[in-house]
Amino acid sequence: MLRGPSSFLWVPVPPAAALAVALLSSLSHCSFLEPADPVISSLSPYFGTKTRYEDANCGLLRDPEVPRRDPELLEDTCTPLQLVALIRHGTRYPTAKQIRKLRQLHGLLQARRPRDDRADAVGGRDLGAALANWPLWYADWMDGQLVEKGREDMRQLALRLASLFPALFSHENYSRLQLVTSSKHRCVESGVAFLKGLWQHYHPGLPPPDVADMECNPPRINDKLMRFFDHCEKFLTEVEGNDTALYHVEAFKTGPEMQNILEKVAAALQVPFNSLNADLIQVAFFTCSFDLAIKGVKSPWCDVFDTDDAKVLEYLNDLKQYWKRGYGYTINSRSSCTLFQDIFQHLDKAVEQKKRSQPVSSPVILQFGHAETLLPLLSLMGYFKDKEPLTAYNYKEQMHRKFRSGHIVPYASNLIFVLYHCKNAKTLKEEFQVQILLNEKVLPLAHSQETVSLYEDLKNHYKDILQSCNTGEECKLPKVNNTSDEL
């Protein structure tokens, strides 16, 4: 049985945490800096893992193909040697489970008895009728697959990264690209779309060929790396399959904040209060986000909620991510050790090849996964950790929390390790340096207030994970002593 808060993974990171807060603060208002966007919603900052990438990255709504170089990026005497990027898939359809819940809610609205005097507070119109008549265009076959907007997310990310790191993404290096992906269709297709974006960079105006006809290798599936959580017995038993592991999520659903929203929505849609529950409310909220992200329309579903409601629903989503993928239980992050070690194996190899005056065999490694891939890894590294755990009972105290999943892992989010070779270094140790980027912005390092680290110092900070974290051991279930005295 899990021990709840006592099984947190506590990593001391006060200096970087302060800078991480500043990073999130700058992201918080991205959506409000683009008044020219015709489909922007005041709810956009609160969609959690269903957030559009451009709502977490200011400026992309104006020109999504132009990179905005972070002034903290190294330049001049330090040359990028290798880039290892962990990338979440692009915008996707809702899952079949979410679509079934939406269909249930839509049916509830259509079953309302007709009345002539129905009108809600939103412009004096019958919002329930507007939603009942709004096209329900989602179908079961969509089931989380990548949408065209998601392919565009990846193509544009490829163009920006190629412009930001032209030496690494040179045409000469195209054949040496190394792509790894989760087996999920949305991740495989994200990798393909990224390659097509690079083709567009190399051959502007020419339509890209099939991936099989490109000069590089197609994405290689590796679920043990990109879906490590599916291969960790301890996580699957103690978190995924444990009805009590998400206690705080379920408790918040029946808490006063969510009950207040249930009452407001029932009144606004003029449906019986007891016909609604937190899951249906959440799927209605997410439908606003899906319509916005996939079709670029602000649907009537967005009119059901105000920003106060959105903040509560964001917290509900963050609670789930916190307890299932973040700091809630130690195994959530420790199950990602293999992925973390794999990243450093690539960096180590590049360092050794440079020391021997050999060309780096893989200048760019691209790994396509999920929000569930990135969040445990960032937690393992000590990022976005609040002083107090997120619980069902401290919503107001956590209003300014660091752990806001929509600002950390929106669609197309990316965690990038850039290894540099600095030719004018005073010592051999200073010759190799590293920067980490989150969503194309330099992320302050977790062991200092700096935006760059000597490679050896970074390895030393994560020595325990790199040397002592064995996923096979971490994911082993404790042995149960079944022996008994025989008569």
Side-chain angles (χ1 to χ4, degrees):
M1 175 66 87
L2 290 168
R3 297 171 297 167
S6 64
S7 60
F8 295 145
L9 173 61
W10 295 101
V11 181
V13 290
L19 290 176
V21 173
L23 171 69
L24 281 185
S25 178
S26 70
L27 295 178
S28 301
H29 306 289
C30 278
S31 293
F32 302 109
L33 298 179
E34 302 292 341
D37 180 25
V39 294
I40 203 147
S41 168
S42 61
L43 310 181
S44 294
Y46 309 108
F47 287 140
T49 51
K50 312 299 185 294
T51 298
R52 301 187 299 178
Y53 187 67
E54 54 267 36
D55 287 324
N57 205 322
C58 300
L60 292 182
L61 285 166
R62 284 192 296 270
D63 194 341
E65 294 184 4
V66 175
R68 281 152 183 81
R69 182 180 176 85
D70 191 318
E72 296 290 346
L73 275 176
L74 285 179
E75 51 187 354
D76 299 331
T77 58
C78 292
T79 305
L81 192 64
Q82 187 183 57
L83 180 148
V84 183
L86 183 61
I87 302 170
R88 185 190 177 194
H89 59 77
T91 306
R92 64 164 176 83
Y93 285 117
T95 62
K97 183 178 179 181
Q98 290 167 330
I99 292 168
R100 285 193 294 271
K101 286 179 182 176
L102 176 58
R103 200 175 287 134
Q104 178 186 346
L105 181 57
H106 196 246
L108 182 67
L109 292 168
Q110 290 182 319
R112 300 184 321 158
R113 291 182 181 178
R115 271 173 42 191
D116 295 332
D117 60 342
R118 289 184 188 269
D120 70 352
V122 184
R125 64 189 172 118
D126 184 350
L127 184 56
L131 289 168
N133 295 325
W134 185 256
L136 184 62
W137 59 275
Y138 299 104
D140 288 342
W141 65 264
M142 295 173 176
D143 195 19
Q145 295 199 48
L146 197 69
V147 301
E148 184 54 37
K149 169 64 166 60
R151 293 181 177 86
E152 198 63 24
D153 291 338
M154 293 293 109
R155 287 193 290 265
Q156 291 169 349
L157 178 61
L159 289 169
R160 293 194 302 271
L161 290 182
S163 297
L164 205 55
F165 300 101
L168 293 178
F169 285 94
S170 67
H171 199 178
E172 293 74 24
N173 284 341
Y174 191 50
S175 61
R176 294 193 286 166
L177 285 176
Q178 192 178 133
L179 275 73
V180 176
T181 178
S182 150
S183 62
K184 292 293 182 181
H185 186 270
R186 55 188 173 270
C187 295
V188 176
E189 287 300 304
S190 290
V192 170
F194 192 99
L195 287 177
K196 290 184 176 181
L198 286 182
W199 177 273
Q200 182 182 339
H201 176 73
Y202 301 135
H203 309 282
L206 291 179
D210 290 337
V211 173
D213 298 324
M214 290 184 179
E215 303 157 31
C216 63
N217 294 319
R220 178 172 52 86
I221 291 172
N222 186 339
D223 276 347
K224 286 190 175 179
L225 206 58
M226 306 314 296
R227 293 182 63 83
F228 49 80
F229 41 88
D230 280 345
H231 299 267
C232 183
E233 191 178 5
K234 187 173 184 180
F235 169 79
L236 293 174
T237 302
E238 296 189 349
V239 182
E240 181 80 45
N242 182 356
D243 291 339
T244 64
L246 299 185
Y247 163 80
H248 286 282
V249 179
E250 298 306 316
F252 191 72
K253 287 180 180 180
T254 57
E257 295 88 359
M258 280 301 299
Q259 290 305 300
N260 180 51
I261 294 178
L262 279 167
E263 290 173 5
K264 285 170 64 177
V265 172
L269 302 185
Q270 297 177 16
V271 296
F273 173 80
N274 60 8
S275 66
L276 296 175
N277 57 44
D279 290 342
L280 290 178
I281 296 295
Q282 195 170 33
V283 82
F285 183 61
F286 283 152
T287 302
C288 167
S289 78
F290 283 124
D291 285 349
L292 185 69
I294 297 170
K295 287 202 163 186
V297 297
K298 184 182 174 185
S299 72
W301 291 104
C302 302
D303 295 331
V304 177
F305 307 99
D306 59 27
T307 52
D308 288 336
D309 301 330
K311 290 174 184 178
V312 172
L313 289 162
E314 179 198 25
Y315 190 70
L316 175 60
N317 185 34
D318 286 347
L319 273 175
K320 180 181 178 182
Q321 300 304 326
Y322 183 90
W323 287 95
K324 194 172 182 180
R325 306 295 176 183
Y327 289 102
Y329 300 104
T330 304
I331 192 57
N332 295 346
S333 58
R334 297 294 281 187
S335 61
S336 71
C337 284
T338 300
L339 178 57
F340 187 76
Q341 291 163 356
D342 178 78
I343 291 167
F344 277 81
Q345 285 165 11
H346 289 300
L347 299 173
D348 279 345
K349 186 176 179 180
V351 167
E352 288 306 312
Q353 288 175 330
K354 184 64 177 177
K355 284 180 178 178
R356 294 173 186 167
S357 300
Q358 299 172 345
V360 175
S361 54
S362 298
V364 175
I365 294 101
L366 305 166
Q367 302 175 321
F368 294 88
H370 309 264
E372 298 89 341
T373 312
L374 278 149
L375 276 177
L377 190 70
L378 285 162
S379 300
L380 185 72
M381 296 173 68
Y383 284 111
F384 307 109
K385 181 173 179 50
D386 295 281
K387 288 182 180 179
E388 297 296 328
L390 276 63
T391 75
Y393 313 109
N394 62 359
Y395 165 69
K396 288 183 179 178
E397 292 81 358
Q398 295 287 14
M399 289 288 284
H400 302 290
R401 64 192 177 278
K402 301 168 199 170
F403 193 92
R404 292 186 67 187
S405 58
H407 295 169
I408 305 168
V409 287
Y411 294 124
S413 51
N414 46 88
L415 179 65
I416 300 173
F417 293 74
V418 184
L419 176 67
Y420 295 89
H421 179 253
C422 303
K423 60 183 179 183
N424 292 337
K426 295 177 182 177
T427 65
L428 288 174
K429 186 180 179 183
E430 294 174 358
E431 196 174 340
F432 297 96
Q433 301 184 26
V434 176
Q435 287 189 303
I436 300 174
L437 286 71
L438 179 65
N439 301 331
E440 302 171 70
K441 296 180 178 68
V442 173
L443 186 64
L445 295 151
H447 67 288
S448 70
Q449 298 184 39
E450 304 301 324
T451 54
V452 61
S453 173
L454 302 182
Y455 181 54
E456 287 303 318
D457 287 352
L458 188 64
K459 286 178 66 177
N460 187 58
H461 176 72
Y462 290 117
K463 182 168 59 177
D464 168 65
I465 302 171
L466 293 172
Q467 297 179 4
S468 307
C469 185
N470 182 307
T471 304
E473 292 299 317
E474 298 282 345
C475 289
K476 229 184 243 183
L477 282 170
K479 289 184 179 178
V480 179
N481 187 355
N482 288 323
T483 57
S484 59
D485 294 332
E486 292 184 5
L487 294 175

